[in-house]
Amino acid sequence: MVTAHAPGKVYLFGEHAVVYGEPAIPCAVERRATVTVEERSDARLRVDAKDLQLEGFTVEYGETGGDPAVEAPNPMLEAATQYVDGAVSQARDAADAPEAGFDVTVESDIPLGAGLGSSAAVVVATIAAAASELGVDLDPREVADRAYQVEADVQDGQASRADTFCSAMGGAVRVEGDDCRTLDAPDLPFVIGYDGGSGDTGELVAGVRELRDEYDFAADTVAAIGDLVREGEALLEREDEGALTELGRLMDFDHGLLEALGVSARSLDSMVWTAREAGALGAKLTGAGGGGCIVALDATDATETALTYEAACEQVFRAELATDGVVVE
Ligand code: PMV
């Protein structure tokens, strides 16, 4: 039996634009998916998922390769099973054990579909745990690469490498197309506000694509996010207070550009404004948008307290930078 865990992430900058080859900077945060895997004597796959901010569920898969024989009560649950199924296929491939069956238990304290990289963390942890159970210790970069293949399959080729690379490596990372690097970043004072909902990543990505195809100024907006990321990247190398203030200003700007691209939501805007009015250095949505989470920068308690009283905010928490990526226990 092997257990592995991997962190979720926030986007400091660059979601959506990263889909078109612009750079993005996600940061891993200390909210984790933990996956325990035990090899079975047959080729079946049994997945037990708890705490996915949904009702727990159990799925039993028949022969390998086919679709899981499960009546998923909602599309997110269906996606969750597809992610685990894809991750197990990658582990089988890595260990050259196509017939390996597993009992898999998934536990996560990352809100599902809310822009915190929950699916990437589950996929990364599952690949690492299942490969290790089969006697193969994968390098985090290989885990990231395999996890990306899974996300790309499940999301019909629309996924960037940002979530999976960040979850596997930990810390702050920079992703530009296939070029993925780790960055040296200070522990930024992230505060996360969660509206209790989620957005449909596929639809939101498609919406930006349409706008970008239709209007040159929308394409310019995407390019402007790329410029902003390059500016922000340089700031991360500085550790003075002024740099933090400027990072916050760029986060505000990024949120404005994402809003212009149509991926924000009233709940996200309300939380962003509450954070700003409380004195946060900056605030923006994180991830695909449409609902889910915002991330603000504030070393004081003011933003956290203000979000507690914000009607649109269901949960607020501080999130430290997760310096460890995937860990096999
Ligand atoms: O909502 P998340 O955490 O899955 O992030 C989606 C980020 C996008 O840039 C919109 C898509 C992607 O795959 O990078």
Side-chain angles (χ1 to χ4, degrees):
M1 190 164 79
V2 175
T3 297
H5 52 82
K9 61 100 214 348
V10 293
Y11 269 95
L12 186 57
F13 308 117
E15 54 272 85
H16 284 286
V18 70
V19 174
Y20 308 97
E22 299 292 349
I25 302 181
C27 297
V29 293
E30 274 309 339
R31 283 256 157 168
R32 287 180 176 262
T34 302
V35 178
T36 300
V37 166
E38 187 162 18
E39 194 178 357
R40 294 171 63 107
S41 54
D42 57 25
R44 295 172 77 85
L45 180 59
R46 184 176 189 279
V47 183
D48 223 330
K50 299 172 183 161
D51 303 342
L52 283 168
Q53 312 261 327
L54 285 169
E55 297 294 308
F57 67 94
T58 303
V59 190
E60 216 165 306
Y61 296 57
E63 291 308 305
T64 59
D67 283 337
V70 56
E71 284 292 311
N74 75 36
M76 283 221 294
L77 200 64
E78 199 179 323
T81 61
Q82 283 179 307
Y83 286 118
V84 174
D85 198 35
V88 164
S89 298
Q90 286 292 335
R92 287 182 181 129
D93 179 64
D96 201 11
E99 295 296 313
F102 299 95
D103 286 331
V104 179
T105 306
V106 180
E107 287 172 88
S108 172
D109 59 8
I110 309 167
L112 199 61
L116 296 185
S118 56
S119 57
V122 169
V123 171
V124 162
T126 305
I127 294 174
S132 172
E133 175 74 353
L134 296 174
V136 177
D137 286 324
L138 295 174
D139 167 66
R141 279 186 184 265
E142 187 174 348
V143 175
D145 206 48
R146 288 182 175 277
Y148 166 67
Q149 307 301 335
V150 175
E151 286 226 322
D153 280 351
V154 177
Q155 296 173 22
D156 290 332
Q158 303 250 32
S160 72
R161 290 180 179 272
D163 282 26
T164 39
F165 184 72
C166 187
S167 183
M169 306 303 290
V173 306
R174 180 191 198 278
V175 172
E176 184 173 1
D178 290 337
D179 179 16
C180 301
R181 302 164 189 212
T182 54
L183 297 175
D184 263 340
D187 186 8
L188 300 166
F190 292 130
V191 179
I192 294 173
Y194 174 37
D195 69 4
S198 61
D200 182 326
T201 303
E203 249 173 49
L204 291 152
V205 169
V208 173
R209 189 179 297 281
E210 275 166 32
L211 274 181
R212 191 174 163 272
D213 288 345
E214 189 168 352
Y215 299 114
D216 286 347
F217 54 80
D220 292 345
T221 305
V222 169
I225 294 178
D227 291 342
L228 185 152
V229 175
R230 284 180 277 272
E231 195 81 29
E233 187 182 356
L235 291 171
L236 281 178
E237 285 166 22
R238 289 173 28 197
E239 289 191 23
D240 54 286
E241 290 258 327
L244 209 58
T245 306
E246 270 187 71
L247 275 178
R249 199 194 301 155
L250 293 183
M251 287 169 73
D252 284 342
F253 210 120
D254 198 2
H255 183 78
L257 296 172
L258 290 165
E259 216 277 314
L261 291 171
V263 299
S264 192
R266 184 186 283 263
S267 57
L268 299 176
D269 290 342
S270 296
M271 291 191 288
V272 159
W273 277 104
T274 296
R276 289 175 185 164
E277 283 170 6
L281 297 175
K284 62 181 280 293
L285 67 84
T286 168
C293 291
I294 65 140
V295 55
L297 275 194
D298 190 353
T300 76
D301 291 337
T303 297
E304 224 178 322
T305 306
L307 282 172
T308 314
Y309 294 103
E310 164 55 57
C313 183
E314 195 160 285
Q315 240 184 73
V316 55
F317 50 92
R318 231 170 224 298
E320 275 176 33
L321 190 72
T323 45
D324 284 336
V326 62
V327 174
V328 178
E329 285 178 354

